[in-house]
Amino acid sequence: MPSAVVSRPGAVAVLRFGRCAAMSVVTALILVAGVWASWGSAQYVMLTKGRESGTVEVADCGGGVCAGPYRPLSHGSLPRERVVVEDSAAVREGRTYTVVMKPDGDEAVRSGPAGILYSWVPLGGALLLASVVVAGGLRRTRAAWVLAGSGFALLTAAFVTM
């Protein structure tokens, strides 16, 4: 008895191309979203020329932020009674951190190697997620291992420096 499903080489090639195109778009979107999420704070930490830099001694934390007095280190920066730093595992009350001020406000971002790596953590997560899509959807295991290794290395480095 003949099979009800007829397979044509052209149809299989079109479906394979469609799967690869769709998974490539999903992978690209994941990576772009990771860079976009990271760049929000990374731009202040990495491009410090002309920005105010100094130290903040964390006095209190609550509501997702930590605050404390700001002492300037850069020329032209003014001391402030209270600046806000994102409350994370990397910030503790009573400790002093080097920071870069965001323009036109009282919000600061950690600077130095720890601040740079911490700001790129969303990209590390995106690399790990993209590796799953590349391995499963595109069936490119070597590329998936490279993406996963890069994401894991970035997240580990950020964790160690914090």
Side-chain angles (χ1 to χ4, degrees), residues 42-89:
Q43 64 180 324
Y44 301 109
V45 179
M46 296 178 71
L47 306 174
T48 59
K49 187 174 183 179
R51 299 197 192 276
E52 294 182 79
S53 63
T55 61
V56 62
E57 183 179 345
V58 177
D60 63 326
C61 293
V65 295
C66 292
Y70 170 79
R71 303 292 173 245
L73 293 176
S74 63
H75 181 69
S77 183
L78 300 173
R80 296 182 175 127
E81 291 295 319
R82 183 177 189 270
V83 296
V84 177
V85 180
E86 178 185 345
D87 185 14
S88 67

Side-chain angles (χ1 to χ4, degrees), residues 80-157:
R80 296 182 175 127
E81 291 295 319
R82 183 177 189 270
V83 296
V84 177
V85 180
E86 178 185 345
D87 185 14
S88 67
V91 179
R92 295 201 188 347
E93 285 186 41
R95 305 233 8 224
T96 302
Y97 300 100
T98 58
V99 295
V100 174
M101 296 300 298
K102 288 186 176 182
D104 302 326
D106 64 347
E107 193 173 347
V109 181
R110 271 192 76 177
S111 63
I116 291 172
L117 289 170
Y118 182 70
S119 66
W120 287 105
V121 164
L123 177 61
L127 287 167
L128 287 175
L129 181 58
S131 72
V132 174
V133 175
V134 169
L138 294 174
R139 298 196 173 112
R140 303 278 189 242
T141 54
R142 286 185 188 153
W145 278 110
V146 169
L147 289 171
S150 301
F152 182 75
L154 179 58
L155 293 174
T156 302

